Structure formats: structure tokens, C-alpha cells
């Protein structure tokens, strides 16, 4: 139980630090999306998932979703990237 609590606190501390540098994270994800490699897409997926948690922890999910929509507007043509975001539950495949 203590180990779980310590891990939770460590995760929260990490997420708070990530939220402090969210602007840089979005910029890094932009650059990784433009690299268009499997490893850069994986990095985007990891950072995006952590940012989703960071914004939720701070109660800023509206901001996160607005920025995510803008990101997808710019990079949605990258099929492999979108597949990763969808499989991670970070984006929904459009209906139709």
C-alpha cells in the first residue's frame, strides 16, 4: 500500500512538472510529428497521454481538448500517428 501511495505521489509530482512546461511539450510533439518516424510518433503518444493526465489533474481538460483538436487538424494526415493516438484512447476515429 505504501509503495502504491509513493508511486501515485511521484506520478502526480511528475504531472505537475509537466504541466508547468506544457507549452514546450506541445512544441516538442509538433517537431516529433513532423519527423514522421515510428519512434517520434511513439514519443508523441507517450507525451500526449501524460499531458492528458496533467491537464486533468489541474482541471484544465477543456484547454487540453482544444489544443489536441488543433494538433490533429495539423497532423491528422499522418495515418500512423493517428492510429497510435486512437489505439491509446487519446483520439476517436471519426464516424462514417
Amino acid at each position: 500500500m505504501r509503495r502504491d501511495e509513493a508511486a501515485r505521489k511521484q506520478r502526480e509530482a511528475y504531472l505537475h512538472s509537466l504541466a508547468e512546461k506544457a507549452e514546450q511539450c506541445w512544441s516538442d510533439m509538433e517537431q516529433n510529428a513532423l519527423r514522421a518516424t515510428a519512434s517520434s510518433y511513439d514519443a508523441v503518444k507517450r507525451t500526449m497521454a501524460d499531458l492528458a493526465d496533467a491537464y486533468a489533474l489541474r482541471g484544465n481538460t477543456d484547454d487540453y481538448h482544444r489544443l489536441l483538436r488543433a494538433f490533429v487538424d495539423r497532423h491528422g494526415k499522418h495515418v500512423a500517428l493517428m492510429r497510435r493516438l486512437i489505439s491509446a484512447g487519446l483520439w476517436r476515429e471519426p464516424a462514417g
Side-chain angles (χ1 to χ4, degrees), residues 12-30:
E12 283 185 7
Y14 166 71
L15 293 175
H16 280 294
S17 73
L18 198 65
E20 293 295 322
K21 56 183 181 180
E23 191 173 316
Q24 181 62 50
C25 290
W26 286 103
S27 177
D28 291 347
M29 287 189 299
E30 290 286 338

Side-chain angles (χ1 to χ4, degrees), residues 27-46:
S27 177
D28 291 347
M29 287 189 299
E30 290 286 338
Q31 293 304 310
N32 278 325
L34 293 173
R35 281 189 190 95
T37 65
S39 62
S40 65
Y41 288 166
D42 288 341
V44 169
K45 180 181 73 172
R46 283 189 305 273

Side-chain angles (χ1 to χ4, degrees), residues 29-30 33 44 48 67-75 81:
M29 287 189 299
E30 290 286 338
V44 169
M48 190 73 74
L67 292 164
L68 174 60
R69 274 191 299 278
F71 181 89
V72 169
D73 285 348
R74 289 186 299 279
H75 302 290
L81 172 60

